[in-house]
């Protein structure tokens, strides 16, 4: 599989998936220049968008200026003006040789979607390695449900997050769950990749289920950490998630 994380801005990734002929699928192009540099004159099969934030859609107009016939698949949201097809939860699309399904994962934004298929999960800003997105428009209940939906996808896809946040998230995850050997192994792997100048992504859903505290709100150690933070016993896993997300919002390593 020819999958490539293209750096953009300070810590974004634009994901490119190429077929055998070199044509690509482009996911969340916040800026056009690195995509144009990677693809040269070859038009992409399609552009997939996960949500409306400019660092995920800002490059679309320039890409369409170069390749006006390129289809753009996006969620139902008027804040994404250049979509050629709007998708809802469960809609499937065929782009080039690949088939993907849109999954509604509200929380970071109200209309956020993820794209799942071909052993891949393009999850935008919903799930990060060792972390998750901030709640800009949704509720803790929505985000926890969205993360659990992703955590229980059946084919353990590679997780293609849209930001290089792994090591920044690691400090918080260790504070919550310091005795987790899977977490320490993942941090060691991420440090090695970073030291070699390589992305820490994609990660695997299997790894995230083992070491991402936001996916493990039923785990006794994670619940105990949330209880210590809140000074009370969490009511349930959603309450544990809400405590963790609020804690992470103000956490400084």
């Amino acid at each position: 599989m020819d999958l490539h994380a293209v750096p953009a801005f300070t810590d974004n990734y634009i994901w490119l998936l190429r077929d055998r002929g070199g044509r690509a699928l482009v996911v969340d192009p916040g800026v056009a220049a690195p995509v144009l540099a990677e693809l040269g004159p070859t038009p992409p099969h399609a552009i997939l968008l996960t949500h409306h934030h400019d660092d995920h859609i800002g490059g679309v107009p320039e890409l369409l200026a170069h390749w006006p016939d390129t289809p753009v698949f996006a969620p139902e949201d008027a804040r994404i003006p250049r979509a050629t097809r709007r998708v809802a939860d469960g809609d499937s699309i065929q782009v080039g040789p690949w088939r993907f399904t849109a999954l509604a994962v509200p929380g970071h934004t109200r209309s956020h979607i993820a794209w799942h298929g071909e052993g891949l999960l393009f999850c935008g800003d919903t799930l990060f390695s060792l972390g998750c997105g901030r709640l800009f428009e949704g509720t803790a209940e929505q985000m926890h449900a969205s993360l659990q939906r992703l955590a229980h996808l059946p084919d353990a896809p590679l997780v293609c997050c849209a930001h290089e946040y792994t090591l920044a998230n690691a400090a918080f995850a260790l504070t919550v769950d310091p005795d987790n050997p899977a977490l320490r192994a993942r941090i060691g792997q991420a440090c090695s990749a970073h030291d070699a100048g390589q992305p820490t992504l994609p990660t695997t859903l299997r790894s995230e289920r083992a070491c991402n505290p936001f996916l493990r709100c039923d785990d006794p150690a994670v619940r105990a950490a949330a209880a210590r933070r809140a000074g009370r016993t969490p009511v349930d896993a959603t309450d544990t998630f809400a405590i963790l997300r609020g804690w992470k919002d103000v956490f400084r390593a």
Side-chain angles (χ1 to χ4, degrees), residues 15-19 22-27 29 35-36 39-48 63-64 66-73 95-96 98:
W15 289 94
L16 299 182
L17 177 63
R18 284 189 171 91
D19 65 17
R23 290 191 68 190
L25 176 68
V26 182
V27 184
V35 177
L36 295 171
L39 299 188
T42 305
H45 284 293
I47 298 169
L48 304 187
L63 293 178
L64 292 181
H66 280 78
W67 300 304
D69 296 328
T70 303
V72 180
F73 298 89
V95 285
W98 310 292

Side-chain angles (χ1 to χ4, degrees), residues 15-244:
W15 289 94
L16 299 182
L17 177 63
R18 284 189 171 91
D19 65 17
R20 292 180 179 177
R23 290 191 68 190
L25 176 68
V26 182
V27 184
D28 280 356
V31 64
V35 177
L36 295 171
E38 286 281 341
L39 299 188
T42 305
H45 284 293
I47 298 169
L48 304 187
L49 305 176
T50 62
H51 65 293
H52 76 277
H53 287 161
D54 194 58
D55 63 326
H56 293 255
I57 70 170
V60 172
E62 187 175 347
L63 293 178
L64 292 181
H66 280 78
W67 300 304
D69 296 328
T70 303
V72 180
F73 298 89
E76 289 280 359
D77 194 320
R79 296 170 295 184
I80 303 175
R82 301 296 296 269
T84 55
R85 177 179 166 187
R86 305 287 180 173
V87 296
D89 183 47
D91 286 349
S92 291
I93 62 170
Q94 185 75 37
V95 285
W98 310 292
R99 190 168 186 82
F100 287 90
T101 299
L103 304 176
V105 285
H108 182 67
T109 69
R110 63 178 181 265
S111 63
H112 202 300
I113 62 171
W115 294 98
H116 174 230
E118 309 295 337
L120 301 170
L121 175 65
F122 297 109
C123 52
D125 287 358
T126 296
L127 175 63
F128 298 128
S129 186
L130 307 182
C132 72
R134 287 179 178 267
L135 304 180
F136 287 127
E137 297 177 2
T139 65
E141 291 80 7
Q142 287 177 315
M143 184 63 115
H144 181 248
S146 294
L147 290 170
Q148 287 302 301
R149 183 180 195 187
L150 298 183
H152 289 89
L153 288 173
D155 62 349
L158 292 176
V159 179
C160 303
C161 315
H163 289 272
E164 182 56 84
Y165 288 165
T166 308
L167 293 181
N169 287 336
F172 178 74
L174 273 177
T175 299
V176 173
D177 199 10
D179 298 323
N180 184 335
L183 172 58
R184 292 188 175 275
R186 171 60 179 141
I187 293 171
Q189 177 192 50
C191 286
S192 295
H194 179 267
D195 290 347
Q198 299 298 315
T200 67
L201 302 168
T203 182
T204 68
L205 194 55
R206 185 174 292 108
S207 171
E208 293 304 307
R209 284 195 297 252
C211 58
N212 187 330
F214 292 101
L215 299 187
R216 304 177 58 248
C217 292
D218 280 322
D219 184 89
V222 174
R223 284 176 57 84
R228 289 191 298 271
R229 172 68 181 180
R232 60 175 177 83
T233 301
V235 174
D236 54 20
T238 299
D239 191 26
T240 299
F241 172 81
I243 294 167
L244 292 181

